[in-house]
Amino acid sequence: MPGIVARYLGAIVAHDWAVVGECIADDIVRVGPNGDQFDGRGDYLAYISETMPMLEGCSMDLQRVTYVDDERAFAELSETVTVNGKPMLTPEVLVFEFDHRLQIARVEIVIQTLRR
């Protein structure tokens, strides 16, 4: 299991949706920072594969992944996107839960709002 979170996040940045699909469970639940939720591999892949390419100048700096046990992990990262021609940095923590096959069954995104 170690490495699945970094593999998943790397695939998202690379827009490698096949690898993202390999990392996630069929019944994944993704809860976003605004309470938005996507249930199931198909709906989540449709959302993420449409959204990520629209984010201008998107990059991710993964600082640390902490595996609590075979069921949970936390990823600390920062995402940068270009907004109105300027980079906007967003610190985030992603909370992962894994199923019995050690695929990502749930991901919740928590964003720190910085003063601008």
Side-chain angles (χ1 to χ4, degrees), residues 1-111:
M1 176 187 50
I4 190 169
V5 170
R7 182 173 185 238
Y8 162 83
L9 294 172
I12 285 179
V13 171
H15 302 170
D16 190 338
W17 312 122
V19 171
V20 171
E22 292 171 9
C23 293
I24 61 175
D26 289 337
D27 58 350
I28 187 170
V29 174
R30 183 264 192 195
V31 180
N34 299 312
D36 52 314
Q37 182 171 317
F38 293 89
D39 299 312
R41 178 182 281 144
D43 285 347
Y44 176 59
L45 283 174
Y47 164 75
I48 199 77
S49 65
E50 181 180 316
T51 301
M52 291 303 295
M54 293 189 308
L55 299 176
E56 183 183 344
C58 185
S59 65
M60 187 182 302
D61 178 24
L62 179 60
Q63 287 96 34
R64 175 178 26 210
V65 177
T66 303
Y67 287 88
V68 177
D69 50 30
D70 286 344
E71 297 176 4
R72 286 179 303 276
F74 300 91
E76 299 168 60
L77 58 94
S78 296
E79 274 192 273
T80 303
V81 296
T82 303
V83 177
N84 297 325
K86 297 180 182 177
M88 182 176 77
L89 178 74
T90 306
E92 303 178 14
V93 172
L94 279 61
V95 181
F96 293 90
E97 292 180 13
F98 306 104
D99 66 11
H100 67 280
R101 293 175 306 223
L102 303 180
Q103 288 181 304
I104 298 167
R106 183 178 183 91
V107 59
E108 293 188 34
I109 302 165
V110 180
I111 292 180

